[in-house]
């Protein structure tokens, strides 16, 4: 694939480019937020590695601007801080995943593979991933061993995870979608609904797994090649 690297630390940028080329990808590097945005908007890239701290325009602002202009290229955000705040801001701005510096090269390649893989498929009023199908009208969840009907809040949880397949969905976004406002009290409720959905997934023999991302949110894991 063709990857755009937006990172002003030359050494890191060069190391990233070398790593990608070694893994048989094409890599272009630019060193400021404004350059990054211009290149990304050409739409020729399969993925973008975007640093947060950049001269010109910071990574989160670049990302916001890209998404606002309809650019949906998968973005892996590089953050120097391990603070949850930064990650949530990035994910809310449309990042597909983030990586905190310093990181292992193997992890970077794995994250890139994950964000560029195909997500869930829409077939009429159904959305499918792995061996599992969710019906958007009847709220029925179907797996290899059977089907269950999801309650309203469970349905929203599952629908959001499927629609953002393999991406981290922040807890805030669940709360906003389900309760329509940001309330601290509802954060624990999300965990409860996620646990209900997990039990139902297991009951129908689904090969999907809801992964908890500590302090941030949840992501739906889909086994590779399960629909081929
Ligand atoms: Ca930087």
């Amino acid at each position: 694939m063709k990857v755009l690297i937006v990172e002003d630390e030359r050494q890191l940028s060069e190391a990233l480019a070398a790593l990608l080329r070694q893994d048989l990808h094409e890599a272009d590097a630019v060193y400021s937020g404004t350059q990054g945005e211009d290149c990304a908007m050409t739409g020729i890239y399969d993925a973008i590695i975007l640093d947060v701290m950049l001269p010109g325009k910071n990574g989160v602002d670049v990302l916001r601007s890209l998404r606002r202009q309809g650019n949906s290229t998968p973005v892996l955000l590089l953050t120097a801080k391990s603070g949850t705040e930064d990650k949530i801001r990035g994910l809310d701005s449309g990042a597909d995943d983030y990586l905190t510096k310093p990181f292992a090269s193997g992890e970077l390649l794995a994250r890139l593979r994950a964000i560029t893989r195909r997500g869930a498929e829409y077939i009429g009023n159904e959305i499918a991933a792995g061996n599992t199908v969710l019906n958007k009208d009847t709220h029925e969840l179907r797996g290899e061993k059977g089907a269950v009907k999801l309650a309203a809040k469970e349905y929203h949880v599952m629908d959001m995870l499927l629609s953002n397949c393999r991406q981290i969905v922040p807890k805030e976004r669940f709360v906003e979608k389900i309760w329509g406002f940001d309330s601290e009290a509802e954060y624990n409720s999300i965990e409860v609904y996620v646990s209900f959905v997990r039990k139902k997934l297991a009951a129908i023999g689904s090969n999907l797994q809801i992964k908890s991302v500590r302090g941030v949110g949840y992501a739906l894991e889909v086994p590779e090649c399960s629909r081929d």
Side-chain angles (χ1 to χ4, degrees):
M1 63 182 153
K2 199 172 167 69
V3 182
L4 176 66
I5 303 165
V6 190
E7 166 61 84
D8 60 313
E9 288 160 54
R10 297 275 168 154
Q11 254 186 328
L12 179 57
S13 171
E14 277 161 26
L16 285 170
L19 177 71
L20 289 168
R21 287 176 191 136
Q22 207 177 11
D23 208 43
L24 304 178
H25 303 296
E26 282 179 65
D28 289 342
V30 292
Y31 310 99
S32 78
T34 34
Q35 277 179 307
E37 186 173 336
D38 289 347
C39 287
M41 280 310 291
T42 60
I44 61 170
Y45 295 98
D46 302 302
I48 301 165
I49 298 174
L50 181 61
D51 188 31
V52 172
M53 302 289 281
L54 287 169
K57 193 171 187 177
N58 77 55
V60 173
D61 288 342
V62 169
L63 182 58
R64 252 189 221 128
S65 171
L66 288 176
R67 297 302 188 238
R68 217 173 24 235
Q69 295 172 80
N71 181 300
S72 60
T73 309
V75 167
L76 179 63
L77 209 60
L78 299 184
T79 152
K81 300 165 204 161
S82 53
T84 304
E85 198 63 8
D86 227 36
K87 291 167 192 166
I88 291 171
R89 224 161 52 92
L91 292 167
D92 271 343
S93 308
D96 298 272
D97 204 353
Y98 63 84
L99 207 49
T100 306
K101 294 177 188 176
F103 46 81
S105 47
E107 183 164 19
L108 178 109
L109 292 174
R111 299 285 181 103
L112 267 186
R113 273 197 300 275
I115 63 170
T116 52
R117 249 186 254 139
R118 217 152 40 112
E121 280 180 58
Y122 291 86
I123 311 137
N125 59 349
E126 295 191 326
I127 179 166
N131 65 359
T132 307
V133 180
L134 178 67
N135 187 301
K136 290 183 157 247
D137 295 332
T138 62
H139 295 187
E140 186 188 72
L141 188 66
R142 224 163 49 236
E144 246 163 43
K145 291 184 190 159
V148 283
K149 197 174 151 75
L150 297 183
K153 292 190 176 70
E154 296 168 356
Y155 166 76
H156 284 305
V157 167
M158 195 61 212
D159 184 43
M160 284 180 79
L161 287 168
L162 277 168
S163 308
N164 299 280
C165 210
R166 294 195 172 99
Q167 297 169 28
I168 301 165
V169 182
K171 281 188 184 175
E172 282 80 352
R173 241 191 273 170
F174 286 109
V175 172
E176 276 167 23
K177 168 98 183 184
I178 297 172
W179 285 276
F181 56 89
D182 194 12
S183 155
E184 197 64 40
E186 311 300 357
Y187 282 31
N188 296 329
S189 312
I190 286 296
E191 272 166 47
V192 174
Y193 290 111
V194 166
S195 79
F196 289 160
V197 175
R198 279 191 180 127
K199 285 195 185 111
K200 291 193 171 173
L201 284 170
I204 58 165
S206 170
N207 61 0
L208 303 180
Q209 290 211 335
I210 303 175
K211 187 180 74 170
S212 303
V213 185
R214 222 187 144 82
V216 182
Y218 298 95
L220 193 67
E221 296 219 314
V222 185
E224 287 203 54
C225 305
S226 53
R227 287 187 64 80
D228 297 333

